[in-house]
Structures are given as C-alpha cells and as structure tokens.
Amino acid sequence: MTGFDPKTIKIGISACLLGQNVRFDGGHKRSAYCTDELQRFFEFQPICPEMAIGLGAPRKSIRQVRHGDEILLQSADGSLDVTEPMMAFCRDTLPQLAHLGGYLLCAKSPSCGMERVLEYAPGSNNAGKTGTGVFARALMSRYPELPVEETGRLHDMVLRENFFTRVYAYHDWQTLRSEGLTRHKLVQFHSRYKYLLMAHHPHNYRLLGPMIANPDDDIERQAQAYFSLFMATLKHHATRRNHTSTLQHIQGYFKKMLSKAQKAELSDAILEYREGLQPLLVPITLINHYLREFPNPYIQEQVYLKPHPQELKLRYGY
C-alpha cells in the first residue's frame, strides 16, 4: 500500500445521514453504517444544500419540476421556487470542495439524490424517476473523477467495495499530485495499480499503459487524460472472472518458489474463489502469506493486494 494515513481522507456527506435534523420534516436519515463504522476511518464534511440556502427545518418540501430542458426546484403548489438560490450555492460552494476524497449522498433528495430522483411535470403529480439532485449533478459535473455514491447502495457489498477502492485510489492520486508530478512518479503509480486495473477492466488496463509510456510535452494533459480513464476503469465492477485471471497472473510469480503442495494449495484457493465457494480474501491472504516467505518487491507493491484497510472488511462478503 502507499503509506498514506487514511484518516486524512475527507468525505463529503449529506448532513441528514449523520443524524442532523435538517430534512423538510425536521427529521434526519441517519445512516448507522456512516456514524458507527465509517467515522473511524474518515473525516466527514456534512453539507445540506437546502439548509444552506436558508430553508429551515421543518419547511415546505420542494421537488424537481421539469420545464423542457430546464429543472426547477419548487414546492408542490408552486408558491416557493429556490432554483436560483440553489444554483448560486452550487457555484459558490463547489470550488471549495476540491480537497474531498469522495462523497456520500442521500437517495431521492431533489438536491442530493444521485439517481432516480422524481421529476414532476408542471402543475401535476405525474413524475418519473429520471432525475439527479441539482447539487449532486453539479458536484459530479465539476469533479467527474470524484467517487460518489448513495449510502443505501452501500448495503450491496460489491458496490461498497468498489466505492472505497475508488476513494483510496483517488486519495492516492491526490497525494501524488500534492507531492509534485513527474513522469517517473506517474509510471510508478501505474505500475502499482496494474493488477487492480486488470481486475476491474482488462481492456482499459491495456489502454492505460501506453498512455504514459510515451513522453508528452504537456505532462499535465497526459496525467489528466490518464487519470480520467484510470478512475473510469475502477468504476467498472471487478468480476469474479477478472479477479480469477488476475490472481492467476500473480500466481505465476511463485512458480519457481513454491513446493508442489503449496502450488496446489494456492491453485485450489483461486479455483474455490472462482466457483463462489470462498471469498476473495482467502486467495489474497494466501498470496500475502507466500510473499512474506518469498518476497517479491513488484508484487508486494501491488495495490490490488490491499486497496483499502482490512478493518473495513470489504473483501469478506464476496
């Protein structure tokens, strides 16, 4: 792993998810997973866009109303319109969030929902689940590589592991940029992430290497193009098939070192994972065990073997 302190990662979060009474009904949407588990690993920065623009709690609820290509934030009776204040809040606030390493949003909110937000037709209660919260959309537009997720979706272990893999990779990149970007550091960064990228999307993995192999007069442009595809690659879910292929590639580094029994043990662990009989943690743990017995600097540096703290328990469930 890279050695950075995970406690320095700051995660933006909808304030209601931390138990703050900021919702329209004066209540909250506290997430026990966020407050009881994640706060041990991250520093949360709570934001409620609706409170920030001056709406109280409790308050008249607002919803998205579609007028052609335009989305308005209005009360059901149309007497309250906060579209402009919300847009102004986005313009003023988003430039101050570049330090964040991820963002957790509250589902269904007209300001913070990541997807499937209700969009109403003007003057009616007819709605489709086709919208994105106004603040959430502006956030993802300004920071397209930023890991963003809704807390409810984190109950899915695959989505959860994917989100935090991206959070730690994003932070790793931010750390690299803060220390000063060089071509050598860019190559080293890619080298450490090779097997993680392979597990997430083999095709993109093959594209990323050549993007940094050839020097570019504009390293900033080269780095940004690389990082955009890098984060898009990690957003793909690593399948059991791709994990198996990646594990077998790593297994090849031990072929001259392991005894016949050890080779069989590792092969069996990978096969049992492929067939769904064991979680990914089992072959990963065995590989790390053999690395302690037979050190290999290149494999030991691979982020794939520890993309996030083990204490988060993200590889136990699949």
Side-chain angles (χ1 to χ4, degrees):
M1 198 61 177
T2 57
F4 56 78
D5 180 0
K7 292 183 180 179
T8 64
I9 301 180
K10 294 181 173 60
I11 302 290
I13 188 168
S14 297
C16 60
L17 297 172
L18 295 184
Q20 296 184 17
N21 296 319
V22 297
R23 285 177 57 79
F24 75 93
D25 58 2
H28 58 76
K29 294 283 285 186
R30 177 180 173 272
S31 163
Y33 180 59
C34 291
T35 59
D36 299 346
E37 297 291 331
L38 296 183
Q39 283 200 117
R40 297 187 293 126
F41 298 93
F42 305 101
E43 180 181 335
F44 283 135
Q45 181 171 334
I47 296 174
C48 176
E50 294 175 27
M51 291 288 283
I53 63 174
L55 298 178
R59 58 180 176 270
K60 184 176 289 189
S61 65
I62 58 174
R63 61 187 187 178
Q64 291 193 6
V65 182
R66 175 169 288 281
H67 289 263
D69 293 333
E70 186 178 14
I71 292 292
L72 302 181
L73 285 178
Q74 300 177 325
S75 59
D77 60 9
S79 63
L80 177 65
D81 189 314
V82 296
T83 308
E84 284 305 315
M86 184 62 72
M87 297 305 294
F89 171 76
C90 292
R91 289 193 299 269
D92 294 342
T93 303
L94 290 177
Q96 303 173 39
L97 303 182
H99 62 286
L100 295 179
Y103 210 104
L104 289 170
L105 295 164
C106 180
K108 302 179 182 180
S109 164
S111 58
C112 293
M114 189 179 79
E115 61 181 18
R116 297 175 61 81
V117 173
L118 289 174
E119 286 186 351
Y120 289 83
S124 79
N125 285 321
N126 297 324
K129 297 179 180 180
T130 54
T132 300
V134 173
F135 174 74
R137 182 171 61 248
L139 172 74
M140 293 186 287
S141 176
R142 183 174 181 95
Y143 303 107
E145 290 88 23
L146 181 72
V148 176
E149 190 55 271
E150 289 182 343
T151 51
R153 285 163 47 92
L154 296 183
H155 295 300
D156 183 313
M157 287 303 298
V158 173
L159 296 179
R160 182 187 296 189
E161 202 271 345
N162 181 274
F163 173 70
F164 288 109
T165 293
R166 289 185 288 129
V167 165
Y168 281 96
Y170 189 89
H171 179 68
D172 198 2
W173 179 263
Q174 288 181 312
T175 302
L176 170 65
R177 297 305 303 260
S178 69
E179 294 173 349
L181 180 66
T182 67
R183 288 190 172 83
H184 178 64
K185 288 182 179 179
L186 186 57
V187 171
Q188 282 186 319
F189 180 90
H190 177 70
S191 178
R192 290 189 294 106
Y193 277 91
K194 277 188 174 182
Y195 284 115
L196 187 64
L197 294 166
M198 181 187 294
H200 279 258
H201 199 282
H203 175 73
N204 284 1
Y205 156 74
R206 290 189 290 270
L207 295 177
L208 283 161
M211 291 180 70
I212 59 171
N214 301 315
D216 191 308
D217 291 336
D218 188 341
I219 189 173
E220 287 292 335
R221 179 181 62 193
Q222 185 180 28
Q224 184 54 50
Y226 170 84
F227 186 58
S228 294
L229 183 57
F230 173 89
M231 291 303 297
T233 299
L234 293 186
K235 201 167 185 178
H236 288 275
H237 297 159
T239 65
R240 194 173 291 273
R241 177 181 178 181
N242 288 343
H243 271 306
T244 299
S245 176
T246 302
L247 291 166
Q248 289 171 337
H249 273 83
I250 295 174
Q251 182 184 22
Y253 283 87
F254 295 102
K255 61 184 179 182
K256 295 182 179 179
M257 305 169 189
L258 302 184
S259 67
K260 185 177 180 180
Q262 289 172 324
K263 289 178 183 177
E265 182 182 31
L266 182 53
S267 293
D268 288 346
I270 294 173
L271 179 61
E272 288 178 356
Y273 163 72
R274 187 186 70 184
E275 294 179 349
L277 302 176
Q278 296 284 1
L280 180 62
L281 186 65
V282 171
I284 291 290
T285 300
L286 192 54
I287 286 171
N288 282 321
H289 167 72
Y290 287 143
L291 278 173
R292 289 190 292 271
E293 189 173 351
F294 308 104
N296 182 303
Y298 177 70
I299 300 300
Q300 287 171 311
E301 284 292 309
Q302 290 301 310
V303 175
Y304 176 76
L305 296 177
K306 191 180 179 184
H308 31 62
Q310 186 172 336
E311 293 78 7
L312 278 169
K313 303 176 184 178
L314 298 174
R315 283 180 163 175
Y316 285 76
Y318 77 101

